């Protein structure tokens, strides 16, 4: 009996020592996230999230990489990247509104037909040629075969299919259609509309034919990085190429290609804006940390404006076609070209509701997934106390107004970039402030 007790005690002690050693090794392997271009603007950001909720421990990335991402707020779980079911609450402090993982670069099986159709539609000389591609696929019963397989797609692959559907829809001039509306059947191919509606149901997002899908799900690093890095850092630091090109293979990237990649890089550089928005949520305008966070917000917005100016020269020198100009014009008409990061800044500073009207603001947001819209609505509510600075005087109110003015300038710079992409020969952008 005594021997058994001694042996049990020794085994328990050994197990505890092993657990302690494992904990120390894991802690040693974890490291801080790498720096970014806009990091200097928020290097000394106020500690802790808004509403007085303490940050939990940083979470290990499932694949065992060495970086750390901020933990979600209390009660929030990471959104699943694959599988069915409703997505969990979104925490944009980790990677903004970028997808959690790089977009699917190559479709497989029957879905290669959709990929080929999207690539052909993107380089079609006009809308009639793009529509002819869809009609040819319908006659070959490819669209029906794809629709029957939508339910088998993982969420990540369904988002990849949605990007290709969006490319086809805008190439055909159908970006303003509701695929389930009876009137749409008088304009667009019925089999394509059924596939479109099935994909929209699978990803739980009806209005996905817009820039957030066309840009944020249509990029890949030109070369595979040697180590795993956060997706926002990947999009900032690596050379990016479109998955579905708007220019023919073997030719230089077009203006539309470069605009979509510029929007992706803007989101990646804007990660610090999302974190500052979270810091300001729930803060009192009299809190000493509020003006500090607003000053950093101003610097981040200036950095984003400089990023757009850095994109302008290459975009202006890129080739363009009338068909691509028609695509941009149709998207602009639908309010479908607003980058999500600008909507996040607007949710904090409240410019959109005042300048465009609340109805117009919601029209812009309808192109975002439900979890992103929910986060923006939460920011509308939680940042309301900070927005009362607009009706005050003093140095803190002056900082708030400076933040508003820098967002207005950022929006104007982005609008000028879109105009450069849509109209060849447009004058260069004004110098960045």
């Amino acid at each position: 009996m005594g021997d058994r007790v001694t042996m049990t005690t020794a085994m328990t002690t050994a197990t505890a020592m092993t657990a302690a050693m494992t904990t120390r090794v894991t802690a040693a392997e974890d490291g801080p996230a790498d720096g970014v271009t806009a990091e200097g603007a928020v290097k000394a950001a106020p500690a802790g999230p808004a509403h007085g909720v303490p940050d939990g421990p940083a979470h290990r990335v499932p694949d065992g990489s060495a970086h750390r991402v901020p933990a979600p707020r209390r009660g929030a779980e990471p959104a699943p990247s694959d599988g069915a079911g409703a997505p969990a609450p979104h925490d944009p402090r980790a990677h903004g509104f970028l997808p959690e993982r790089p977009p699917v670069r190559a479709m497989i099986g029957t879905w290669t037909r959709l990929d080929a159709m999207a690539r052909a539609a993107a380089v079609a000389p006009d809308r009639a040629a793009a529509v002819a591609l869809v009609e040819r696929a319908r006659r070959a019963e490819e669209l029906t075969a794809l629709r029957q397989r939508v339910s088998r797609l993982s969420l990540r692959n369904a988002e990849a299919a949605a990007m290709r559907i969006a490319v086809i829809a805008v190439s055909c001039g159908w970006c303003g259609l509701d695929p389930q509306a009876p009137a749409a059947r008088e304009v667009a191919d019925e089999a394509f509309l059924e596939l479109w509606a099935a994909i929209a149901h699978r990803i739980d997002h009806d209005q996905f034919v817009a820039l957030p899908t066309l840009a944020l799900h249509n990029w890949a690093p030109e070369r595979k990085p040697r180590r795993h890095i956060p997706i926002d850092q990947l999009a900032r630091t690596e050379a990016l190429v479109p998955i579905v090109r708007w220019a023919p293979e073997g030719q230089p990237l077009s203006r539309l290609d470069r605009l979509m990649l510029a929007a992706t890089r803007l989101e990646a550089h804007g990660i610090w804006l999302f974190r500052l928005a979270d810091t300001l949520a729930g803060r009192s305008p009299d809190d000493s940390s509020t003006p500090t966070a607003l000053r950093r917000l101003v610097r981040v917005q200036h950095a984003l404006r400089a990023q757009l100016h850095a994109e302008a020269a290459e975009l202006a020198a890129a080739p363009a076609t009338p068909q691509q100009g028609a695509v941009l014009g149709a998207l602009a008409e639908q309010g479908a070209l607003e980058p999500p990061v600008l909507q996040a800044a607007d949710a904090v500073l409240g410019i959109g509701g005042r300048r465009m009207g609340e109805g117009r603001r919601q029209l812009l947001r309808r192109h975002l997934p439900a979890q992103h819209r929910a986060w923006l609505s939460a920011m509308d509510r939680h940042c309301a106390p900070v927005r009362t600075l607009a009706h005050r005087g003093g140095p803190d109110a002056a900082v708030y107004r400076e933040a508003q003015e820098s967002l207005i300038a950022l929006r104007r710079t982005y609008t000028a970039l879109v105009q450069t992409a849509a109209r060849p020969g447009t004058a260069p952008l004004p110098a960045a402030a």
Side-chain angles (χ1 to χ4, degrees):
M1 175 68 74
D3 291 342
R4 285 198 297 271
V5 171
T6 302
M7 183 176 297
T8 301
T9 304
M11 291 175 65
T12 303
T13 304
T15 301
M17 292 177 64
T18 302
M21 291 175 65
T22 302
T23 302
R24 286 195 296 271
V25 170
T26 302
E29 287 177 350
D30 283 338
D34 292 332
V36 296
T37 303
E39 185 177 8
V42 289
K43 199 167 186 179
H51 315 305
V53 180
D55 273 343
H59 292 295
R60 289 283 297 173
V61 176
D63 64 1
S65 60
H67 74 280
R68 296 167 68 90
V69 296
R73 289 175 179 273
R74 182 164 51 200
E77 294 296 330
S81 59
D82 278 328
H90 182 66
D91 181 33
R93 291 177 297 173
H95 48 75
F97 284 174
L98 290 168
E100 292 185 2
R101 296 165 60 189
V104 174
R105 191 163 190 167
M107 307 293 285
I108 61 174
T110 307
W111 293 99
T112 57
R113 303 174 188 175
L114 180 66
D115 183 77
M117 194 191 318
R119 294 175 188 275
V123 297
D126 51 38
R127 289 178 176 176
V131 171
L133 291 168
V134 175
E135 292 175 347
R136 191 178 309 130
R138 174 183 53 80
R139 289 193 298 269
E141 298 187 350
E142 294 178 357
L143 300 176
T144 302
L146 291 170
R147 180 176 57 79
Q148 293 170 348
R149 289 166 171 79
V150 169
S151 61
R152 306 176 197 173
L153 287 173
S154 68
L155 182 57
R156 184 164 176 255
N157 281 311
E159 290 173 341
M163 181 273 286
R164 289 156 174 85
I165 289 288
V167 169
I168 296 169
V170 297
S171 298
C172 294
W174 298 336
C175 64
L177 296 183
D178 178 354
Q180 296 183 339
R185 300 177 185 274
E186 301 175 4
V187 179
D189 182 90
E190 184 173 350
F192 180 76
L193 290 173
E194 290 175 352
L195 174 60
W196 180 350
I199 291 290
H201 178 74
R202 179 67 186 87
I203 64 174
D204 192 25
H205 185 195
D206 293 334
Q207 304 287 334
F208 66 82
V209 181
L211 179 134
T213 297
L214 289 166
L216 305 190
H217 292 275
N218 188 22
W219 62 273
E222 189 172 27
R223 60 178 181 82
K224 186 176 180 180
R226 288 176 290 181
R227 63 185 180 91
H228 182 87
I229 57 177
I231 190 167
D232 58 291
Q233 183 185 341
L234 178 69
R236 279 194 305 271
T237 59
E238 297 292 329
L240 304 183
V241 293
I243 296 172
V244 175
R245 293 168 51 106
W246 294 94
E249 291 290 339
Q251 295 188 17
L253 294 180
S254 68
R255 291 190 178 193
L256 186 52
D257 286 314
R258 293 194 177 278
L259 177 67
M260 295 300 171
L261 293 177
T264 299
R265 282 187 285 265
L266 186 70
E267 288 301 309
H269 283 274
I271 182 63
W272 299 104
L273 190 149
F274 285 97
R275 294 170 185 172
L276 283 170
D278 190 78
T279 297
L280 286 165
R283 298 276 174 166
S284 165
D286 299 318
D287 192 311
S288 60
S289 65
T290 297
T292 301
L294 286 172
R295 290 187 189 96
R296 288 167 185 154
L297 184 63
V298 170
R299 290 198 288 271
V300 168
Q301 290 176 161
H302 282 323
L304 295 181
R305 192 174 176 217
Q307 172 66 25
L308 291 179
H309 278 275
E311 306 275 3
E314 285 188 346
L315 188 146
T321 66
Q323 166 68 350
Q324 292 172 12
V327 166
L328 280 172
L331 289 170
E333 190 175 313
Q334 296 296 320
L337 284 175
E338 181 82 352
V341 69
L342 299 189
Q343 298 189 51
D346 176 76
V348 175
L349 300 172
I351 295 176
R354 177 169 57 83
R355 293 172 62 87
M356 301 182 294
E358 190 59 32
R360 175 67 174 170
R361 189 189 213 176
Q362 296 306 319
L363 282 176
L364 294 177
R365 291 183 182 179
R366 78 188 191 276
H367 298 298
L368 295 172
Q371 56 183 358
H372 296 173
R373 295 197 304 270
W375 185 85
L376 290 174
S377 296
M379 287 297 108
D380 286 337
R381 296 191 303 273
H382 298 322
C383 292
V386 172
R387 291 197 293 272
T388 61
L389 286 170
H391 310 293
R392 296 189 182 188
D396 292 353
V399 173
Y400 176 80
R401 283 189 282 272
E402 183 183 1
Q404 285 188 317
E405 290 167 2
S406 70
L407 176 56
I408 293 171
L410 175 60
R411 266 213 169 102
R412 287 174 177 166
T413 302
Y414 175 74
T415 300
L417 194 69
V418 172
Q419 292 172 347
T420 300
R423 292 197 295 270
T426 305
L429 296 174

